[in-house]
Amino acid sequence: MVKEVSQKPWGGRFQEETNKFFEDFTESISYDYVLAFAEIKASLVYAKALFNAGLLTSEELSLLEKALLEIEEEIRKGAFIFRKEYEDIHMNLEKALFEKVGEIAYKLHTGRSRNEQVVTDLRLYLVEEEKQIKKLLLEFIRETIIKAEEYFEVVMPGFTHLQHAQPVLFSHWIATYAEAMRFHYERLLDLEKRLKLSPLGSSAFAGCGFPLNREFMAKELGFLAPHPHSVLAVSSRDFALEFVFILTLIMLDLSRLCEELVLWMSQEFSFIDLPDSLCSGSSIMPQKKNPDAAELIRGKTALVLGNLLQLLTLFKNLPLSYNRDMQEDKPPLFQALETTKASLKMATLLIKSLILKKERLENLLKEGYLLATELADYLVTRGIPFRKAHHLTGKIVLYAQKRGKRLEELTLEEFRNFSPLISEDIYNWLTIEHSLKRREIPGGTGRKTVKNYLEDFKKWILKEENP
Ligand code: ARG
């Protein structure tokens, strides 16, 4: 009999001990241990499928089940020791199982490959993460809509090119972020179709050589169906890439929100204040109160964007089917999830506690010729083609600017010098309320429209919160 040199599961064909540095270099247990619960869940189902196919006796099945549940409990209690020598979560659990039930533990590997295990675990893990992200999105959305209602009456200058453009309800402006998050929420729902597919039964890549019931395993694990292709099942992480893409979109919108919060809190804008509890000061300048959390969300967006790029690059030029490169999918994936969850939570707090400086906004409405579009539109109603009306209004704005007057401060005579078509009713048009009223169009910033929009949105939130 040949003496076994290697203790590894693949030791049979090996005649040397594994190099220690190689071991450290190739391990993944330092981060894939978080898949432990998913691995156990999948193993329990796999054991049942083996039993159903006559590959385990009922005693063996109950021994395995009992041992797996014990291991689960040990992990939960923090009593389980994950070892680098055993490389990854799959081998760590197999070893632990062996210690409990001896060689029966190895039967669990009948027809099973780590290639399908790891991707099954990842999918199960992401199903749970997806639930959490959806919940955090709903909380962000709810607080944003509440804030919109709190300041429903407030009008602010809307911006394009960061220049004052047209009046807009603050509620309409801030609800932009709620709507953006609702889109991401629905993207996640759509992702479920591709995420909730069971790889089990794909084995290494060619499909399992034993007649396991794939439908059964998929159902037991809460998946929608078995993955339709064994090679693709173990070769692809499309669902994870798509997930991180959605996380990136979430972060991009949070980053834009935070950019606005930072600007709004500056002395120059002075639109909002944030409570002391959510700001920090300077170690040298005693007067400072900084919106660090918003800045950090903006900064952390770079991480998630980098995670996405890392993942996309990982799969470029990767031949089918499983390649060890794929082990590197986990750190960026986990970082993207953790960063996005924390950022969503923080952004929700910021939105919830921001205080609007209403007077400042009211005063700003008088500046910046926010009603110039109204004047141009008025001229259109008098039969002037829009381009010409635009041109003429530009001239009137320039004229008013030179005299330090607002549009509504010009006399009728001054207006009529530009166009005799202008009459007394122009002054009705040059008010903030009139400009809002003209925008009672679906999706617009009219007061009634926004009120209904917020009501409908609240109904949607309730529906999603209590499915
Ligand atoms: N730790 C590996 C990973 O995360 C598990 C799959 C290993 N498969 C293999 N054939 N070496 O990808």
Side-chain angles (χ1 to χ4, degrees):
M1 189 144 142
V2 192
K3 188 177 160 285
E4 291 281 341
V5 182
S6 170
Q7 297 297 313
K8 302 288 182 195
W10 51 83
R13 86 144 315 294
F14 282 65
Q15 298 191 328
E16 282 177 342
E17 278 294 353
T18 309
N19 176 295
K20 276 283 159 224
F21 185 67
F22 174 91
E23 218 164 65
D24 285 348
F25 190 78
T26 53
E27 66 85 24
S28 56
I29 190 63
S30 54
Y31 49 85
D32 68 14
Y33 70 93
V34 300
L35 299 176
F37 298 119
E39 173 84 3
I40 290 171
K41 189 173 174 187
S43 291
L44 285 166
V45 169
Y46 197 81
K48 255 193 230 165
L50 287 175
F51 168 74
N52 290 343
L55 293 159
L56 286 178
T57 66
S58 63
E59 295 79 64
E60 288 169 335
L61 174 64
S62 26
L63 276 173
L64 283 172
E65 284 175 340
K66 187 167 159 278
L68 281 167
L69 294 174
E70 275 171 27
I71 295 172
E72 186 174 40
E73 188 52 27
E74 285 164 27
I75 297 174
R76 230 179 266 289
K77 285 197 309 220
F80 189 92
I81 299 169
F82 295 103
R83 294 186 189 282
K84 270 194 188 168
E85 311 85 274
Y86 304 150
E87 202 177 284
D88 59 19
I89 185 60
H90 321 293
M91 299 318 303
N92 266 270
L93 293 187
E94 188 176 305
K95 281 281 175 192
L97 209 50
F98 177 77
E99 278 159 28
K100 286 188 188 292
V101 300
E103 296 206 339
I104 299 167
Y106 298 157
K107 291 203 174 185
L108 186 57
H109 216 59
T110 309
R112 187 165 77 147
S113 163
R114 279 191 288 166
N115 299 352
E116 65 181 333
Q117 283 172 256
V118 68
V119 67
T120 304
D121 295 354
L122 266 185
R123 285 174 182 272
L124 288 172
Y125 186 79
L126 288 185
V127 167
E128 292 308 310
E129 290 291 310
E130 190 245 7
K131 279 186 209 155
Q132 287 184 39
I133 304 258
K134 276 195 309 197
K135 194 163 165 272
L136 289 167
L137 282 173
L138 279 183
E139 277 160 23
F140 174 92
I141 289 170
R142 192 186 338 105
E143 289 307 330
T144 307
I145 296 299
I146 289 175
K147 191 54 67 169
E149 290 195 316
E150 180 186 341
Y151 290 121
F152 180 73
E153 80 284 6
V154 180
V155 186
M156 64 178 262
F159 293 81
T160 62
H161 311 266
L162 205 56
Q163 307 288 317
H164 286 200
Q166 290 176 337
V168 63
L169 284 176
F170 167 79
S171 47
H172 191 52
W173 191 266
I174 202 72
T176 310
Y177 293 105
E179 190 61 79
M181 293 304 162
R182 173 156 64 176
F183 270 75
H184 303 324
Y185 183 95
E186 293 192 332
R187 282 190 175 89
L188 284 173
L189 290 182
D190 190 68
L191 166 66
E192 287 178 16
K193 281 185 264 178
R194 291 167 296 283
L195 172 62
K196 294 185 170 176
L197 296 175
S198 169
L200 288 189
S202 301
S203 202
F205 67 86
C208 185
F210 297 97
L212 299 186
N213 187 337
R214 296 196 64 204
E215 289 283 348
F216 167 79
M217 291 190 284
K219 233 201 191 117
E220 287 283 294
L221 288 173
F223 287 127
L224 299 171
H227 193 290
H229 195 290
S230 64
V231 177
L232 188 65
V234 301
S235 305
S236 175
R237 299 288 181 268
D238 59 302
F239 59 92
L241 268 59
E242 195 176 339
F243 202 142
V244 176
F245 174 62
I246 297 171
L247 298 180
T248 308
L249 293 182
I250 292 172
M251 289 302 291
L252 287 183
D253 282 318
L254 291 185
S255 184
R256 295 180 76 171
L257 164 67
C258 287
E259 169 74 8
E260 296 214 273
L261 296 183
V262 170
L263 286 171
W264 290 354
M265 215 175 117
S266 70
Q267 285 71 17
E268 284 68 20
F269 274 80
S270 232
F271 283 13
I272 61 163
D273 199 4
L274 289 170
D276 287 2
S277 60
L278 294 179
C279 292
S280 45
S282 151
S283 58
I284 175 166
M285 298 164 282
Q287 85 285 11
K288 294 295 296 290
K289 178 172 155 184
N290 302 325
D292 302 55
E295 295 166 71
L296 279 169
I297 293 173
R298 212 170 48 182
K300 285 173 193 287
T301 302
L303 303 186
V304 179
L305 214 149
N307 296 145
L308 176 64
L309 203 60
Q310 229 176 317
L311 282 165
L312 293 170
T313 313
L314 186 59
F315 284 88
K316 182 183 174 295
N317 294 9
L318 210 57
L320 301 178
S321 63
Y322 177 81
N323 296 273
R324 193 60 181 274
D325 314 41
M326 286 157 76
Q327 179 168 296
E328 296 293 333
D329 61 356
K330 286 164 215 67
L333 177 60
F334 296 159
Q335 186 179 42
L337 289 164
E338 292 318 307
T339 310
T340 308
K341 283 190 289 184
S343 302
L344 265 172
K345 216 168 165 175
M346 191 68 241
T348 305
L349 266 176
L350 293 177
I351 286 270
K352 187 176 174 168
S353 33
L354 76 80
I355 300 148
L356 209 53
K357 295 185 174 169
K358 295 194 248 180
E359 262 174 43
R360 162 79 176 153
L361 290 172
E362 239 162 64
N363 288 335
L364 279 178
L365 292 177
K366 297 170 194 148
E367 296 168 20
Y369 299 93
L370 291 168
L371 297 172
T373 313
E374 303 312 294
L375 176 53
D377 286 357
Y378 172 87
L379 294 172
V380 167
T381 66
R382 294 297 172 274
I384 303 179
F386 183 76
R387 273 289 153 253
K388 286 182 87 173
H390 183 288
H391 192 78
L392 196 55
T393 305
K395 289 210 175 312
I396 300 175
V397 168
L398 198 64
Y399 172 90
Q401 243 169 1
K402 278 191 183 144
R403 282 153 189 81
K405 282 184 167 187
R406 297 190 244 136
L407 287 179
E408 60 274 30
E409 286 172 346
L410 297 179
T411 64
L412 188 58
E413 209 185 327
E414 284 173 304
F415 275 125
R416 291 176 67 92
N417 283 339
F418 287 93
S419 167
L421 293 170
I422 300 178
S423 51
E424 191 65 36
D425 59 348
I426 183 58
Y427 295 105
N428 299 334
W429 279 65
L430 295 180
T431 69
I432 298 291
E433 284 310 313
H434 191 267
S435 99
L436 293 178
K437 201 177 261 153
R438 291 191 56 237
R439 285 165 180 80
E440 299 290 6
I441 186 166
T445 196
R447 282 187 187 277
K448 274 189 211 135
T449 303
V450 175
K451 193 154 208 80
N452 291 335
Y453 170 86
L454 294 176
E455 287 306 324
D456 287 348
F457 212 140
K458 283 196 291 187
K459 279 182 209 142
W460 179 86
I461 297 170
L462 269 178
K463 188 173 76 57
E464 294 304 316
E465 281 177 341
N466 312 287

